[in-house]
Amino acid sequence: MLRRFFLIIATIIIFISLNLLNIFHKNFSFAQRNYKTIKELVYTIPEGYKRIVWLALSPDKKRWAMLLKRNNDNKFILVVDGKNHIEYNKNPFSGLFDGREYILYEPPPYFQFSPDSKSFAYRYSTESKDKYFIIWDNLKFEAYDDILDFVFSPNSKHIAYSVYETKTKKYFVVLNNQEGKRYDWISQLTFSPDSKQLVYTAREGDKWFVVLNDKESQKYDEISELKFSSDGTKLAYVAREGDNWFIVVDGKRGKNYQKIEEIYFSPNNQNIAYIAGENCDKYLSCSKKFVVFNNREGKRYDWVSEIKFSPDSKKLAYVAIDGNKIMLVVNNKEVKSYYYYGNPGYIDYLNFSPITNDFDFVKIFRQSSFTDIDNADNPLSYEGEKSIITLNNEIIGEYKSNCCSIYMDITGILFLTFAPNGKYIIYVVDESKLNETLNDFIVQQSIVIFEKTTKKKIKLSYKGEILNKPSFSEDNKYLIYFVQEGNNIYKTTISLN
């Protein structure tokens, strides 16, 4: 009898084990089939250096560069493709503004790969440290009192940069070693997509204007945004005269508004949209915002953001807030609405999915309550120390919110990105926390890959910091990001087949 009992128990254990093994095998096979990972040591930080100030990948994701700061002084190392390229003996983000030295704490575009990824250029100072010049691969350009920024042409054949001259206290543009006209200020250097035109904004006295191929436009009180259409046939910018803001497209002025921001061209370049505001105070904080699409005004909301066109240009979507509702609006129709209460502390992401031929709406929020008003029987309500990620109102991730993200991010969810094929959503979870003495961080971050069709996800954790937003290779088959663990920098490549 006892023997029979043990046989039954053994049979049950074997049955459960086989089922668990089968489940594990399926999940493991899924992970292994889709997430083959290569972790490559590409650099070891020298002794005395710790802080990574800047890191970037080339457009083809095959090259990389970063800037390291020494711990106790103002010395820096520029690293390109894993090799120490050059040292800086002063802050590389310092320069002159109206003759006064400044330091930029947000890294400006002083280090760039060319669009074809074959070249690298950067700003450097002379040995006397009183002048700056551009080095493009092995080519060194003329030195000036300061260089504010520089841009490559899309075909990677030209570099343009803006220069400050101490003697005249003027700014000018240098293109192909040719100096342009002097102005009181210059900004927004932009090449046309075909690389044949260069445009920027300039100021003389209290008047602003656009300079296109050395020709000046009409003068305005202010210009805030400048953008070419993707085919280069249209040029649009936002300008102000007095209290009136308006857009100018190919020299034609649009309707007056109290505020205008963020111009968007559709992929076919036939449509233009922008966000306008009304009931604005003297600081241009507006109580109402709305979208203007081909000169047609949309509904007024308390807030509008994340304007996106579908690839075929037939759909225009954006996120809006109205009272205690947050909603997705597509072609002026409120597709989905949610209630929120108190300070939502949320971040929105909007992306067009080629799988569903529709928009994916991702929300990340912390310490707030959301209720799906279209599904009152199954409300989504959360309060407390959690970070919640929802995709089209379905929860795809919940994470305990730490008090102290190393990025001081409101949610602890970083670098969210959509796979170009629409199959995956990728994001980083910052699980860092303060040590026992509360004077430093115990750094730990994880990358999460969520597959939309199966709703499965994998979490890869690191005892260190993920240094850049995960990005995709040109063929969209590989996800690439860099991780720092201790003094080692790893390039991680994940195959998403």
Side-chain angles (χ1 to χ4, degrees):
M1 185 72 180
L2 188 61
R3 183 179 178 185
R4 184 179 179 186
F5 171 77
F6 280 118
L7 283 172
I8 293 172
I9 294 298
T11 302
I12 293 172
I13 290 172
I14 292 170
F15 176 78
I16 294 172
S17 299
L18 287 172
N19 276 277
L20 288 173
L21 184 63
N22 186 45
I23 292 169
F24 172 80
H25 175 72
K26 286 181 179 178
N27 288 331
F28 180 77
S29 297
F30 172 84
Q32 196 169 33
R33 184 177 68 251
N34 293 288
Y35 305 118
K36 294 177 181 177
T37 303
I38 299 174
K39 185 178 177 183
E40 176 189 4
L41 177 63
V42 293
Y43 188 77
T44 298
I45 297 175
E47 185 178 351
Y49 287 83
K50 181 178 180 181
R51 184 183 170 203
I52 298 174
V53 180
W54 168 88
L55 184 143
L57 275 69
S58 61
D60 66 3
K61 309 302 184 295
K62 294 179 181 179
R63 303 183 64 192
W64 63 280
M66 70 177 178
L67 190 70
L68 291 171
K69 183 182 183 303
R70 201 154 74 174
N71 294 344
N72 300 317
D73 57 26
N74 236 11
K75 292 195 174 183
F76 295 76
I77 296 177
L78 177 62
V79 180
V80 181
D81 297 328
K83 297 179 180 179
N84 293 350
H85 190 74
I86 202 165
E87 290 188 2
Y88 287 83
N89 292 317
K90 67 178 293 187
N91 193 315
F93 304 137
S94 63
L96 296 175
F97 176 73
D98 287 342
R100 300 186 300 274
E101 188 169 13
Y102 66 86
I103 293 178
L104 292 171
Y105 292 97
E106 289 294 327
Y110 290 163
F111 315 93
Q112 293 185 45
F113 286 102
S114 59
D116 65 5
S117 302
K118 295 178 180 179
S119 296
F120 184 74
Y122 56 97
R123 171 184 180 261
Y124 198 66
S125 60
T126 57
E127 290 184 9
S128 59
K129 305 178 187 177
D130 59 351
K131 290 185 181 294
Y132 296 86
F133 51 89
I134 297 295
I135 297 179
W136 179 2
D137 290 336
N138 296 319
L139 181 63
K140 177 181 172 181
F141 291 95
E142 184 176 346
Y144 292 98
D145 296 321
D146 193 13
I147 294 175
L148 278 73
D149 60 2
F150 70 90
V151 291
F152 274 102
S153 61
N155 64 7
S156 303
K157 295 181 179 180
H158 309 282
I159 281 183
Y161 47 96
S162 55
V163 167
Y164 176 73
E165 190 174 55
T166 305
K167 180 175 67 175
T168 61
K169 294 186 178 180
K170 296 286 186 179
Y171 297 83
F172 56 94
V173 170
V174 177
L175 172 63
N176 298 330
N177 284 326
Q178 298 296 311
E179 298 178 359
K181 183 179 176 180
R182 269 66 173 166
Y183 296 107
D184 293 335
W185 186 253
I186 283 172
S187 64
Q188 300 191 68
L189 276 175
T190 307
F191 277 100
S192 61
D194 62 4
S195 303
K196 294 180 179 179
Q197 302 184 85
L198 178 68
V199 65
Y200 54 92
T201 59
R203 177 175 61 82
E204 279 189 336
D206 59 356
K207 293 296 182 181
W208 286 85
F209 44 92
V210 169
V211 181
L212 175 62
N213 301 329
D214 297 326
K215 294 181 180 179
E216 299 173 3
S217 73
Q218 177 184 338
K219 291 178 170 57
Y220 306 98
D221 293 332
E222 191 173 348
I223 296 175
S224 66
E225 181 150 350
L226 188 67
K227 185 173 290 186
F228 275 106
S229 59
S230 61
D231 62 359
T233 60
K234 296 181 176 67
L235 175 66
Y237 54 90
V238 177
R240 177 180 65 84
E241 285 185 346
D243 294 331
N244 296 317
W245 289 86
F246 46 89
I247 67 165
V248 179
V249 183
D250 293 336
K252 296 180 181 179
R253 175 172 171 164
K255 184 179 176 179
N256 292 339
Y257 293 101
Q258 289 180 279
K259 182 181 180 180
I260 291 179
E261 56 191 49
E262 299 186 67
I263 297 173
Y264 300 86
F265 281 103
S266 61
N268 65 6
N269 302 299
Q270 301 302 308
N271 308 299
I272 189 168
Y274 54 90
I275 299 172
E278 60 186 20
N279 301 331
C280 307
D281 61 22
K282 63 180 180 179
Y283 303 107
L284 293 182
S285 177
C286 306
S287 64
K288 293 295 178 182
K289 291 189 175 185
F290 52 96
V291 171
V292 180
F293 173 59
N294 291 342
N295 298 319
R296 298 191 301 272
E297 298 176 4
K299 181 180 174 179
R300 271 63 175 166
Y301 294 101
D302 298 333
W303 187 260
V304 172
S305 63
E306 286 288 313
I307 288 183
K308 300 282 185 181
F309 280 99
S310 60
D312 62 7
S313 302
K314 293 181 180 179
K315 293 181 180 180
L316 173 69
Y318 55 90
V319 177
I321 294 177
D322 187 13
N324 61 351
K325 292 191 298 183
I326 179 171
M327 62 200 73
L328 173 63
V329 182
V330 181
N331 289 348
N332 284 325
K333 293 182 180 180
E334 295 171 1
V335 175
K336 195 76 173 175
S337 300
Y338 313 89
Y339 283 125
Y340 73 82
Y341 303 93
N343 179 7
Y346 71 90
I347 304 172
D348 295 320
Y349 296 89
L350 199 58
N351 185 68
F352 189 85
S353 171
I355 295 177
T356 61
N357 199 38
D358 209 345
F359 289 91
D360 284 333
F361 181 27
V362 172
K363 293 194 308 297
I364 304 174
F365 55 94
R366 179 183 181 184
Q367 290 183 337
S368 60
S369 295
F370 275 76
T371 302
D372 178 5
I373 63 176
D374 295 333
N375 187 12
D377 293 333
N378 185 22
L380 296 178
S381 298
Y382 287 89
E383 289 182 331
E385 295 296 320
K386 280 185 179 179
S387 291
I388 312 295
I389 305 179
T390 64
L391 169 62
N392 301 326
N393 197 39
E394 181 180 350
I395 295 174
I396 63 172
E398 295 184 40
Y399 302 94
K400 182 179 179 181
S401 299
N402 293 321
C403 72
C404 312
S405 161
I406 62 173
Y407 288 96
M408 299 304 171
D409 184 83
I410 195 169
T411 63
I413 309 298
L414 313 167
F415 298 143
L416 188 140
T417 187
F418 297 88
N421 60 13
K423 293 181 180 180
Y424 307 98
I425 294 175
I426 299 100
Y427 54 91
V428 172
V429 181
D430 187 0
E431 299 161 312
S432 306
K433 50 190 174 184
L434 290 171
N435 61 14
E436 293 180 357
T437 57
L438 304 180
N439 64 355
D440 203 357
F441 286 102
I442 300 172
V443 181
Q444 179 168 318
Q445 294 185 348
S446 301
I447 188 164
V448 178
I449 302 170
F450 174 79
E451 186 176 26
K452 288 163 52 182
T453 53
T454 64
K455 299 182 181 179
K456 293 182 179 181
K457 61 188 174 187
I458 188 170
K459 181 180 177 184
L460 303 174
S461 297
Y462 302 94
K463 292 182 179 179
E465 181 183 353
I466 295 172
L467 299 172
N468 66 302
K469 182 176 182 177
S471 55
F472 284 84
S473 57
E474 285 187 312
D475 58 10
N476 297 324
K477 292 181 179 180
Y478 301 97
L479 185 69
I480 301 166
Y481 56 94
F482 284 73
V483 178
Q484 179 183 355
E485 291 182 322
N487 287 333
N488 291 330
I489 306 295
Y490 298 92
K491 180 182 179 182
T492 304
T493 304
I494 301 178
S495 173
L496 299 176
N497 295 325

